[in-house]
Amino acid sequence: MQVRNRAGIGSVAAPSGQQAFESAIVQERKWEFAGEFNLRTDLIRMNRLASEIDATKQAMKNLSNKAGIYANTPVYRLYKLEKNAQVYGDPFLALKYIEITNPTEIATITNVPTSSANYAAYQTALRNIVTAHGQTTTTDDKWYPTNMFQAYTSTFNGNARKAAGFLAGFNQLQIGNIIYTKPTGSAENGGTYPNWIEGGGDGLFYGFVPNKTELLPFAAASAGHPLVDNPNLTQLPGY
């Protein structure tokens, strides 16, 4: 409660019961230490790593299927092009965007021209949508729609970026091929989950095996090995 008050985000009802209280602590620490690389250690210490990974994987599958809490997730976003070659690392991770759900607006943004002669008129139409959503924009601004459930390299997404001035509309971001070329949506991926969601040898959960660690695995040797000789050793010495 002290942390929440300090952050000015208001209090929550104190949970009752051990599991509910533990879950609340885990969630609060996710918010408090986001990006500080504490979560994995927290979850290992609380013996929740496997369950949290399973829950996250299921949530990603629900998103892929547009099911559950993601049933009404908008498919289209309209992004403002933020590109400055003089700044290290173009700000792709903090982009302004508008979620597009109006059928008329969807028809406008999906009518992506493939000829550069029509780019200016297309950008004018996009800026009109931006203005209609209460955001300010100038004639120098460029916008591009994205289908959030298609691959980054899909024909639509690539052509949309080209219409905004990306010189290499299909390959502007050099990110991992697994996520780069595989759609988020299961329907868009031929009825199956993309492998970065499903896991296996190259997914988001690469290498994770419950009750094992990469830090200092127990020896698989016969009796006589120093780690095998201690039958009560359940905590890895490396910790």
Side-chain angles (χ1 to χ4, degrees):
M1 297 306 180
Q2 291 175 356
V3 171
R4 295 180 66 89
N5 290 336
R6 184 207 65 207
I9 59 175
S11 61
V12 295
S16 60
Q18 178 178 336
Q19 290 304 315
F21 194 80
E22 183 180 285
S23 296
I25 290 176
V26 169
Q27 182 58 63
E28 294 295 314
R29 288 178 65 85
K30 287 179 183 179
W31 284 322
E32 174 69 8
F33 299 111
E36 297 187 24
F37 304 102
N38 288 331
L39 180 59
R40 182 174 181 273
T41 301
D42 271 0
L43 297 179
I44 290 173
R45 177 170 56 86
M46 302 174 83
N47 195 30
R48 296 172 66 106
L49 182 60
S51 60
E52 289 284 335
I53 285 179
D54 288 342
T56 300
K57 184 183 294 188
Q58 184 59 54
M60 294 300 297
K61 289 182 177 180
N62 290 343
L63 174 63
S64 184
N65 291 330
K66 303 182 187 69
I69 63 173
Y70 303 106
N72 297 315
T73 299
V75 173
Y76 293 100
R77 283 182 177 180
L78 188 58
Y79 281 95
K80 181 181 179 182
L81 177 63
E82 301 279 5
K83 189 162 187 268
N84 185 344
Q86 303 304 313
V87 178
Y88 175 76
D90 298 332
F92 282 108
L93 299 181
L95 299 179
K96 294 180 180 178
Y97 69 87
I98 300 169
E99 291 184 334
I100 304 298
T101 57
N102 181 283
T104 301
E105 292 179 343
I106 290 176
T108 298
I109 68 173
T110 53
N111 187 27
V112 181
T114 56
S115 170
S116 59
N118 299 319
Y119 285 173
Y122 183 63
Q123 285 299 320
T124 297
L126 295 183
R127 285 192 292 270
N128 288 339
I129 292 176
V130 172
T131 302
H133 281 261
Q135 293 197 27
T136 58
T137 185
T138 69
T139 55
D140 294 327
D141 291 337
K142 299 292 180 64
W143 296 79
Y144 60 96
T146 297
N147 184 314
M148 303 302 294
F149 289 87
Q150 290 182 5
Y152 181 85
T153 54
S154 73
T155 299
F156 171 77
N157 286 337
N159 284 335
R161 289 192 300 274
K162 284 185 176 180
F166 282 75
L167 297 180
F170 291 87
N171 300 296
Q172 191 72 24
L173 287 177
Q174 296 304 315
I175 57 179
N177 180 65
I178 297 165
I179 298 178
Y180 191 62
T181 61
K182 295 292 186 181
T184 296
S186 58
E188 291 80 357
N189 196 51
T192 61
Y193 299 116
N195 49 359
W196 58 268
I197 289 179
E198 187 64 52
D202 54 6
L204 290 175
F205 316 102
Y206 173 74
F208 174 73
V209 178
N211 302 316
K212 291 188 178 181
T213 178
E214 76 285 357
L215 180 62
L216 185 59
F218 287 120
S222 58
H225 189 280
L227 294 185
V228 177
D229 282 348
N230 185 349
N232 296 318
L233 185 60
T234 57
Q235 178 71 37
L236 291 180
Y239 286 159

